[in-house]
Amino acid sequence: MNTGSDELGEVAVAADETGTDGARGEQERALGSRAPEFVKARRLLHVSWQVAIFIIGLAVVVAGIIMLPLPGPGWVVIFGGMAIWATEFVWAQLVLRWTKRKVTEAAQRALDPRVRRRNIILTSIGLVIVAVLVGIYVWRFGIVMPWKIKDQ
């Protein structure tokens, strides 16, 4: 249905943006449905398969969205739902590829020595500020353990 081709059994292939002529190996995968061949061979079964995958992926994504303000791994669950969708839908595969590329770029930027040095300096300054504020609070009000508070 959403394979990027009108012919049965064909799948779309993403263009190689790196220009390395297939050196990407396993990263370069065909876009489109990863349903079993017997499912893809029957149109009604394939559409039913896609609807089921969409509903399961939607349930997982909604659970992840609910976990964002609540305790739980919200973003991990959302990307899990996207991965479920990516087994059937080209748009989800492209979103996951884009996300993976951006996360890889951010990780490489974070490993830059200048950025690491800046982050360490900012973290140290933040810790010093928090320590000073805690020290001022303790100096002003003292430390009173909850079990030693007298009834007022």
Side-chain angles (χ1 to χ4, degrees), residues 53-126:
I53 293 294
F54 183 80
I55 291 171
I56 292 168
L58 182 64
V60 173
V61 168
V62 168
I65 291 171
I66 291 171
M67 286 184 203
L68 287 175
L70 299 175
W75 285 111
V76 173
V77 174
I78 289 172
F79 287 122
M82 290 296 295
I84 291 171
W85 279 338
T87 63
E88 266 320 295
F89 302 107
V90 173
W91 60 268
Q93 293 167 3
L94 294 174
V95 167
L96 283 178
R97 283 184 181 180
W98 178 83
T99 304
K100 184 177 180 183
R101 189 175 61 245
K102 291 299 179 183
V103 166
T104 303
E105 290 171 6
Q108 289 173 349
R109 279 194 313 268
L111 293 176
D112 180 22
R114 290 178 301 187
V115 174
R116 287 184 57 147
R117 191 175 317 115
R118 182 198 66 203
N119 290 344
I120 289 171
I121 290 169
L122 290 175
T123 302
S124 300
I125 291 171

